[in-house]
Amino acid sequence: MIDSKRLENAFKEIILALGDDPLREGLIDTPKRATSMFMEMLEGMNYTNDEIALMFDKTFEDYNQNSDSLVIVKDIDVFSFCEHHLALMYDMKVDICYRPNGKVIGLSKLARIADMVAKRLQLQERIGEDILYIVKKITNSNDIMVRITGCHSCMSARGIKKKSYTVTKTKIGNISESDLL
């Protein structure tokens, strides 16, 4: 669990380390506001993948037993924080594709899973792995692909200072890139 009091004190220390005064008028409430923001933006840190699976395990019987059927949800907007630099990963889009295996998950739950998993100190590669794990746990599907495209401010705002998009793909079973088109 995120320790809000400790986080607030850390923000005060950061302000001091930057050479500013945390008691100055514009900064008096900054540690509280920053703590509140980070607690919201990193909410996923409070839950394991198994807890997220339980949270969003809302499925329906799959009446279409056609083995070629796919469920695809594309362009789910998420953001995350790079665990190496605490830098924002932004303009992220998550695509999830799975073949139902007797049941389907509520579509909004796929977006909620992607959002909650991303709200952690993460690697883009691990976000895909975590989403795949949770979708498999809920749906029992053997055919799943998660594709993520995103910008990393650890590249665009520092270092090389070039905006680029990183694409990661995580899959199990018989799903191909062409299935996401």
Side-chain angles (χ1 to χ4, degrees):
M1 287 299 237
I2 297 174
D3 183 338
S4 62
K5 199 59 173 161
R6 192 170 181 186
L7 188 57
E8 187 176 328
N9 288 333
F11 282 119
K12 287 178 188 169
E13 287 299 317
I14 288 170
I15 292 168
L16 285 168
L18 292 172
D20 213 327
D21 178 5
L23 298 178
R24 145 171 104 71
E25 183 179 349
L27 294 175
I28 289 174
D29 291 326
T30 297
K32 285 182 184 175
R33 286 191 301 268
T35 297
S36 178
M37 180 185 76
F38 269 75
M39 289 185 68
E40 178 182 339
M41 293 175 75
L42 293 170
E43 178 185 9
M45 300 284 294
N46 294 315
Y47 306 103
T48 66
N49 287 340
D50 290 327
E51 290 170 329
I52 293 170
L54 282 173
M55 235 185 294
F56 300 120
D57 187 356
K58 178 63 176 165
T59 58
F60 305 95
E61 293 300 316
D62 176 25
Y63 296 106
N64 181 358
Q65 294 298 318
N66 179 346
S67 64
D68 289 336
S69 295
L70 294 173
V71 175
I72 304 167
V73 178
K74 294 175 66 171
D75 296 328
I76 302 167
D77 286 316
V78 300
F79 65 86
S80 192
F81 286 90
C82 162
E83 67 182 31
H84 297 139
H85 301 98
L86 302 181
L88 193 61
M89 292 187 278
Y90 62 99
D91 285 349
M92 294 181 86
K93 301 281 187 191
V94 176
D95 303 325
I96 302 170
C97 175
Y98 75 96
R99 189 175 319 282
N101 186 15
K103 57 185 175 178
V104 293
I105 187 172
L107 296 177
S108 72
K109 301 306 183 241
L110 291 172
R112 292 177 190 280
I113 290 165
D115 187 59
M116 190 63 77
V117 165
K119 288 182 174 180
R120 296 172 170 165
L121 300 178
Q122 275 284 30
L123 297 174
Q124 184 170 321
E125 298 86 345
R126 190 179 315 118
I127 294 170
E129 292 168 5
D130 290 350
I131 292 168
L132 188 142
Y133 172 87
I134 293 166
V135 171
K136 177 160 182 54
K137 186 167 182 111
I138 294 171
T139 66
N140 296 317
S141 176
N142 295 312
D143 302 309
I144 305 169
M145 179 182 270
V146 179
R147 178 177 59 197
I148 304 171
T149 304
C151 290
H152 296 238
S153 64
C154 54
M155 274 183 58
S156 64
R158 59 160 299 280
I160 189 70
K161 295 185 183 117
K162 301 293 178 206
K163 183 177 180 181
S164 62
Y165 287 88
T166 300
V167 179
T168 55
K169 300 170 194 166
T170 308
K171 73 173 223 144
I172 58 169
N174 189 22
I175 298 280
S176 70
E177 182 72 16
S178 63
D179 290 323
L180 287 172
L181 299 177

